[in-house]
Amino acid sequence: MIMGNLFCYYDSEADESSSCGKLASKLLMTAKETAPTFEVFDEYGTRLDSKVLLNAHVIERMIIMCKHNRHQCGLPPTTDALLEKIVLLIYDSMEAPSRTFHNIDHIRDLNIGADPIQQTAISYHDVIYYQVDGGLSDSQREYLDDIIVEDDGLVSVTEKKLDQYIELVMDIFGVTYGQVLDQFKGKNEFLSTCLGIRSILETWPGPSTIKKLTFYAKFAACIEATIPFRPLDKNGKTSAELLFERLKKVNSKYELEWDENEIVKAVQRAVDLGNRDLKNFSWQNTTQFLSNTWKLLPESNISLRHDSYYLYEMTHAMKKMTGFFETLNPETIYL
């Protein structure tokens, strides 16, 4: 169920989210601890970056559980090749050499207690980490190339007309055509959502329906809420209140036929995930908090990813981390 709920839609009358989330976490942890890892090389002996330290046992479990849960959720059948492609895309993104915190373990931790829509969002919410991974991989670009324009380090949304599903994401994130995406204001989350919807669409063919749009709207809202550390806007509104307002407009524009209670539930689900994504900031044990936070250092400091580095490189990284903590407003970490 770790990746099985990638494609599920939420059934409020048959929600076993807590048990599913715990099982998903347990299965993934067991697979990671017991399976051997290996590297894959091409015919010339060059290590393939997309398969670095591929954990075959974890991949196998992810595919099997994905297929099983698609059936349980009543989604149309798809090919094993497509399932494998999607699972490998998520795994390769999250287990890239640059990832030391935002990896498969992070997915495992967040899955505990999550409902199916949240689990879907969890699986995708960090697949794009543009500044950490050094841009997009070839497999990520396959889904995003027509959505963005990259120019001298800047990433912008194209000005060309996009499909209805991507426009739905744009409306939920408050993004417009031609807009330059800011890494501190949701660039990674926006691109992760677009990639997630595009990859799910490959396994869910057919015309647009209310069921599809509803699922994608709730999915996108969950990932939007994981954009961290946002202050109040100029009118004193929180990011959750702004998400509620955007979902109201989306409901009307795409004729989702939600009542206000349904919109409130979508926001609550999203806020719950956003808060749990930052749960370590509320840990009472300072040692555990710092130990967990330490994993972030190599992600934001390339020099620390090597086996050895200079003392000044470590002190510089710690100084940046200290500066980050000093800028945080405790009142706006959680919604």
Side-chain angles (χ1 to χ4, degrees):
M1 293 182 189
I2 173 60
M3 291 301 166
N5 282 312
L6 281 173
F7 311 107
C8 293
Y9 60 92
Y10 182 66
D11 183 350
S12 60
E13 296 181 356
D15 178 23
E16 299 177 357
S17 58
S18 181
S19 60
C20 287
K22 290 178 181 177
L23 178 60
S25 177
K26 182 178 179 180
L27 287 170
L28 184 56
M29 180 184 296
T30 302
K32 287 210 70 176
E33 290 178 348
T34 61
T37 59
F38 61 91
E39 296 174 337
V40 177
F41 299 82
D42 65 16
E43 58 184 315
Y44 304 105
T46 302
R47 188 175 66 183
L48 302 178
D49 290 339
S50 64
K51 304 295 183 184
V52 173
L53 298 177
L54 177 72
N55 191 320
H57 195 42
V58 175
I59 297 298
E60 182 183 12
R61 289 191 177 215
M62 289 163 64
I63 294 172
I64 292 172
M65 288 182 285
C66 177
K67 182 186 298 185
H68 173 72
N69 283 282
R70 281 181 62 85
H71 175 72
Q72 285 194 322
C73 290
L75 298 183
T78 189
T79 65
D80 288 346
L82 275 179
L83 290 179
E84 181 177 317
K85 178 183 177 182
I86 290 171
V87 169
L88 282 173
L89 171 65
I90 295 172
Y91 185 90
D92 286 351
S93 298
M94 300 299 290
E95 290 294 301
S98 52
R99 305 296 189 97
T100 52
F101 181 90
H102 297 96
N103 51 25
I104 289 292
D105 288 335
H106 183 53
I107 292 178
R108 180 203 68 199
D109 293 340
L110 287 181
N111 263 322
I112 298 174
D115 73 36
I117 292 178
Q118 288 177 326
Q119 288 191 30
T120 308
I122 289 165
S123 299
Y124 282 104
H125 82 291
D126 282 328
V127 290
I128 304 298
Y129 211 161
Y130 195 93
Q131 69 277 13
V132 168
D133 297 335
L136 303 177
S137 68
D138 291 341
S139 55
Q140 293 169 346
R141 195 174 299 281
E142 175 185 340
Y143 295 96
L144 300 174
D145 203 35
D146 65 318
I147 298 175
I148 60 172
V149 176
E150 297 170 284
D151 182 24
D152 195 25
L154 295 179
V155 180
S156 305
V157 179
T158 182
E159 295 185 355
K160 298 179 181 178
K161 179 74 172 176
L162 294 167
D163 61 77
Q164 181 185 37
Y165 299 112
I166 300 303
E167 287 192 333
L168 174 73
V169 177
M170 292 171 64
D171 290 336
I172 290 173
F173 276 75
V175 170
T176 58
Y177 283 106
Q179 178 178 328
V180 176
L181 299 175
D182 187 332
Q183 70 183 51
F184 299 110
K185 297 181 180 179
K187 175 173 72 176
N188 295 316
E189 291 81 0
F190 172 74
L191 295 179
S192 295
T193 306
C194 291
L195 182 148
I197 285 181
R198 284 275 176 89
S199 66
I200 295 172
L201 277 171
E202 287 187 327
T203 70
W204 197 353
S208 173
T209 63
I210 295 296
K211 178 180 176 180
K212 278 187 179 182
L213 290 170
T214 293
F215 173 84
Y216 290 137
K218 293 177 180 180
F219 165 79
C222 281
I223 300 183
E224 196 280 342
T226 66
I227 303 173
F229 314 125
R230 287 179 284 182
L232 303 178
D233 77 347
K234 61 182 180 181
N235 297 316
K237 294 183 179 180
T238 67
S239 57
E241 291 171 323
L242 296 173
L243 176 60
F244 176 79
E245 292 178 356
R246 289 196 295 271
L247 283 178
K248 286 181 67 175
K249 295 178 181 178
V250 163
N251 180 45
S252 176
K253 178 178 178 179
Y254 296 91
E255 300 179 346
L256 301 181
E257 302 177 359
W258 295 355
D259 57 24
E260 184 165 299
N261 186 53
E262 187 74 9
I263 300 174
V264 169
K265 285 183 177 180
V267 174
Q268 288 175 334
R269 175 190 289 110
V271 167
D272 175 66
L273 177 56
N275 285 341
R276 286 193 291 111
D277 195 26
L278 299 173
K279 64 180 180 180
N280 63 302
F281 279 86
S282 63
W283 288 356
Q284 298 298 311
N285 188 310
T286 305
T287 301
Q288 290 181 350
F289 170 74
L290 291 176
S291 177
N292 191 61
T293 304
W294 196 267
K295 299 175 185 176
L296 288 167
L297 290 176
E299 287 193 349
S300 54
N301 298 273
I302 296 177
S303 61
L304 302 188
R305 300 175 192 172
H306 305 303
D307 293 334
S308 61
Y309 40 80
Y310 292 104
L311 181 60
Y312 79 85
E313 292 173 326
M314 171 58 78
T315 56
H316 177 65
M318 295 180 68
K319 183 178 180 180
K320 288 199 304 181
M321 182 66 75
T322 301
F324 164 71
F325 285 137
E326 289 176 345
T327 63
L328 287 181
N329 179 357
E331 295 182 359
T332 58
I333 292 178
Y334 298 110
L335 298 174

